[in-house]
Amino acid sequence: LALATAGSAGATAGPIGPLPRGQVTTLTTPRGSRVSVVLPKGAKGRSWRQARTVNGAVLREVTEANVGATVVIVFKAVRAGSAKVVYALTRGETAKAYASVTYKVTVR
């Protein structure tokens, strides 16, 4: 289980525009494992949203839960390959991103 610290992802919101530079975390995990992304809950009306499509052939979201002051999103590594998981901090469902985090995941 890999934890990446960096909000909830909005599934029906419109697309997010250009992303500011943000934290990039790189990790490698075996097929069949779980990868957890931990994001702090947004403040001042802001929330973390999934900013880009995840390669579903490599990673599949399993669950998402509010845990204390964080949101935990768990993915299952389903096939060898690479995938990026990108989140952006937005106000509501607007396209403007105030911050971003990227997780580059390699599944072996």
Side-chain angles (χ1 to χ4, degrees), residues 5-108:
T5 307
S8 177
T12 59
I16 297 172
L19 300 175
R21 287 187 182 210
Q23 172 187 332
V24 177
T25 302
T26 303
L27 61 102
T28 301
T29 190
R31 186 172 51 88
S33 66
R34 303 284 197 268
V35 175
S36 298
V37 174
V38 181
L39 302 166
K41 288 185 181 175
K44 300 179 183 178
R46 295 179 181 176
S47 61
W48 290 98
R49 294 173 38 211
Q50 188 172 325
R52 303 293 183 255
T53 303
V54 176
N55 183 348
V58 176
L59 291 178
R60 289 198 187 132
E61 186 174 331
V62 175
T63 190
E64 179 176 328
N66 292 314
V67 181
T70 63
V71 175
V72 179
I73 305 104
V74 180
F75 294 86
K76 181 175 182 181
V78 294
R79 189 173 108 188
S82 62
K84 281 186 184 179
V85 179
V86 182
Y87 285 90
L89 188 64
T90 66
R91 181 177 301 279
E93 296 183 1
T94 62
K96 179 174 174 56
Y98 295 93
S100 70
V101 293
T102 301
Y103 304 90
K104 295 180 178 180
V105 182
T106 301
V107 178
R108 292 192 177 166

